[in-house]
Amino acid sequence: MEASTVYYTDFRCPVGTSLTDKLRRLCIAAGIKNIDMEGKFVAIKMHFGELGNLAYLRPNYAKVVADLCKEQGGMPFLTDCNTLYPGSRKNALEHLTCAQLNGFWPMTTGCQVIIADGLRGTDEVEVPVPNGEYCKTAKIGRAIMDADIFISLTHFKGHESTGFGGAIKNIGMGCGSRAGKMEQHASGHPAVQESLCRGCHRCAKECGSDAIAYNEQNKAVIDQDKCKGCGRCIGACNFDAIYSQCDSANEMLDRKMAEYAAAVCYDRPTFHISLVQDISPNCDCHGENDAPILPDIGMFASFDPVALDQACVDACLAAAPLPNSQLGQNLAKPGWNCHHDHFKDSNPNIEWKATLEQAEKIRELYLKEVTGKQPASQIQTTVKVEEASIQLGTIQMGESKEAVFRLTNTGNNPLVILDAATTCGCARPSFDKHPAKPGEILQVRVIMTPKDKGVFDETITVKCNTNQLIKLNIRGMAQ
């Protein structure tokens, strides 16, 4: 299959811009405006965060996406499905209260919040999984399947059962009704190795099924009839006392999750955004968020959630671990068996590669060419710079001069400037933030305020939705 395009921007914000501006420009560059949304329901799937967790995505990001949908005539709503475990999102009333307490209101997000699988998590649609290897059907929240267009907005982070929580998990597990979540988790139930159990009771606090009790020796005992197989107790135990009785349980979870995600995306327009920040070692379903295991990396967007997850994984594996974190602590342990894999070194019981392997097998199910528009692989454009180098002449110390560069869109798609940067603090770039249609012009403005006397020769690097960076130049003399 042809390679998909994934767009990226970092979290750097020069004076005069903002992260919400950058997210908007990223989505436009990645082609969100190529989707016909006029008069259509648009489901924006995201996680509203468990009460006590502060790593979830802020509602400000959701508003950017909702506003873009409304600009295109769409009728967006934020959505998620209820959870298996007791927490604060196990039914629609508590789920909505949790979302509101975490800042998700129509006035902050620009749209309504709908819990997709209804009051008790039973309002579902059984959707076929074409060519499904592990799941022939998927039980998905009805409101998600009723939408004409599906968008995922994901907080990319670590995960105690799946290694990482990316777009595929947000879609596959997140869109499953309570029965759908149980089906994905049903590959194996954990058991306790009593000799390692310290009786700390942390596993029981994490259990979503009230399945863990303690015997006379204060050792954990798991009731297999009550256990849903979610595996949260495995991640909760610091002493490796709890293990999966099925060696392939996490791998089976990953593969079922990929097939559920394909069922959600199949045969309708979709768009996917992931923010790789606050990379906690565990899911946002926890009532806490541990210190990030990796530094903030950036924002990614694509029509292809499989390529999107792979790009986020690659960026994370290339990043340096943070010392004051679960990952850094593990790597610093004497005799630690290093896996050279940040996700596995953070949570050794996981098998994250199975998610992408299974998704790649059925990747065509995730993709639908946008009707009447150009396909995602062709959304880049070309640009012509009217004058790439500007001579500013002599500037007196304490004064400033401005250079204005004109970029003409010579391609067939909208032109968007994503960023403009320089290595010199004397030169301050700014740029037009709206998209330019074919033939239209965008401007990059650079104000030069010399700090030292002498000749200056500064380069400004401009990032657009083109196949290469644009280099601009200002020259002159400071006196």
Side-chain angles (χ1 to χ4, degrees):
M1 180 178 286
E2 181 182 353
S4 298
T5 302
V6 178
Y7 283 78
Y8 161 80
T9 186
D10 60 28
F11 286 115
R12 294 297 305 276
C13 275
V15 175
T17 187
S18 71
L19 290 177
T20 51
D21 286 338
K22 293 189 79 170
L23 177 59
R24 174 184 169 82
R25 296 197 302 272
L26 175 73
C27 291
I28 294 171
I32 195 171
K33 291 209 168 185
N34 289 355
I35 302 174
D36 178 13
M37 298 187 185
E38 186 65 40
K40 296 178 180 177
F41 290 113
V42 185
I44 303 173
K45 168 64 180 74
M46 69 178 303
H47 195 304
F48 304 124
E50 193 70 26
L51 290 181
N53 188 299
L54 298 178
Y56 61 88
L57 296 182
R58 293 173 177 85
N60 311 64
Y61 293 122
K63 189 174 190 303
V64 171
V65 181
D67 286 349
L68 281 168
C69 295
K70 290 190 292 186
E71 287 172 18
Q72 295 163 240
M75 296 180 286
F77 61 94
L78 301 183
T79 191
D80 198 1
C81 287
N82 292 307
T83 60
L84 271 177
Y85 56 87
S88 53
R89 297 178 300 122
K90 64 181 180 292
N91 62 59
L93 295 182
E94 292 181 3
H95 204 153
L96 285 170
T97 298
C98 176
Q100 292 162 358
L101 289 171
N102 283 341
F104 293 90
W105 292 80
M107 68 173 61
T108 59
T109 63
C111 65
Q112 297 291 340
V113 176
I114 297 176
I115 305 306
D117 60 344
L119 180 63
R120 299 180 183 273
T122 55
D123 189 11
E124 64 192 20
V125 180
E126 194 158 355
V127 184
V129 181
N131 304 321
E133 186 178 351
Y134 298 89
C135 304
K136 299 304 179 185
T137 62
K139 298 177 179 68
I140 307 299
R142 185 176 298 276
I144 288 169
M145 296 312 301
D146 282 347
D148 304 293
I149 297 161
F150 179 82
I151 296 175
S152 67
L153 177 58
T154 302
H155 171 216
F156 190 97
K157 67 278 179 190
H159 195 279
E160 63 274 22
S161 296
T162 60
F164 67 86
I168 293 173
K169 185 177 186 302
N170 184 26
I171 302 166
M173 185 61 68
C175 293
S177 64
R178 296 193 79 182
K181 288 179 171 69
M182 184 176 292
E183 182 176 72
Q184 293 176 74
H185 278 299
S187 298
H189 290 178
V192 179
Q193 188 172 343
E194 285 195 7
S195 62
L196 297 179
C197 178
R198 304 287 185 88
C200 67
H201 291 217
R202 182 177 175 185
C203 57
K205 293 177 183 178
E206 289 293 333
C207 180
S209 314
D210 195 26
I212 301 178
Y214 292 84
N215 61 22
E216 294 178 355
Q217 289 75 43
N218 196 31
K219 303 292 185 180
V221 178
I222 299 175
D223 186 331
Q224 298 297 328
D225 292 331
K226 291 183 178 180
C227 177
K228 294 183 174 70
C230 71
R232 291 185 66 178
C233 57
I234 298 176
C237 182
N238 290 329
F239 310 106
D240 298 325
I242 302 180
Y243 64 97
S244 174
Q245 297 183 85
C246 173
D247 290 340
S248 62
N250 280 344
E251 179 183 343
M252 291 286 285
L253 168 63
D254 294 342
R255 295 186 186 279
K256 287 182 177 181
M257 198 168 61
E259 294 191 347
Y260 257 66
V264 172
C265 295
Y266 181 64
D267 200 32
R268 60 173 166 176
T270 68
F271 188 78
H272 310 279
I273 308 150
S274 288
L275 276 64
V276 188
Q277 64 180 72
D278 295 323
I279 310 169
S280 51
N282 299 320
C283 183
D284 289 345
C285 294
H286 281 251
E288 82 291 325
N289 52 289
D290 198 358
I293 60 174
L294 299 169
D296 291 351
I297 292 174
M299 311 181 199
F300 297 73
S302 179
F303 284 97
D304 184 345
V306 185
L308 179 67
D309 268 359
Q310 185 67 67
C312 294
V313 164
D314 291 344
C316 285
L317 295 181
L322 294 178
N324 185 28
S325 69
Q326 178 173 298
L327 172 60
Q329 185 178 7
N330 284 348
L331 293 173
K333 289 179 180 177
W336 177 257
N337 180 24
C338 182
H339 299 279
H340 304 287
D341 177 331
H342 295 334
F343 301 118
K344 201 165 182 64
D345 280 320
S346 180
N347 288 298
N349 60 293
I350 56 90
E351 295 292 344
W352 63 265
K353 293 180 181 178
T355 301
L356 295 176
E357 287 173 2
Q358 190 66 22
E360 188 62 36
K361 288 182 183 179
I362 52 174
R363 186 162 149 240
E364 69 276 4
L365 302 182
Y366 293 88
L367 304 175
K368 178 181 175 65
E369 186 170 318
V370 180
T371 306
K373 303 287 184 178
Q374 289 180 292
S377 60
Q378 299 177 6
I379 56 177
Q380 288 190 335
T381 190
T382 55
V383 64
K384 179 181 178 181
V385 182
E386 187 174 293
E387 187 177 2
S389 181
I390 294 179
Q391 171 61 253
L392 291 178
T394 300
I395 305 177
Q396 299 297 322
M397 294 298 295
E399 296 182 356
S400 301
K401 279 191 177 182
E402 183 181 53
V404 179
F405 298 90
R406 293 162 58 86
L407 282 61
T408 303
N409 184 0
T410 57
N412 298 317
N413 296 294
L415 171 67
V416 180
I417 300 175
L418 299 172
D419 200 8
T422 177
T423 56
C424 174
C426 303
R428 292 186 290 112
S430 61
F431 51 87
D432 291 337
K433 297 173 183 176
H434 60 274
K437 297 177 181 178
E440 292 183 344
I441 294 172
L442 294 178
Q443 292 186 344
V444 176
R445 294 166 292 278
V446 183
I447 297 176
M448 182 65 185
T449 308
K451 296 180 180 177
D452 299 300
K453 292 183 178 181
V455 175
F456 61 83
D457 187 345
E458 304 297 341
T459 298
I460 301 92
T461 302
V462 179
K463 185 190 298 184
C464 302
N465 58 324
T466 56
N467 60 4
Q468 59 186 5
L469 298 174
I470 299 169
K471 300 290 186 179
L472 307 175
N473 175 259
I474 54 173
R475 293 173 288 114
M477 172 72 74
Q479 290 187 347

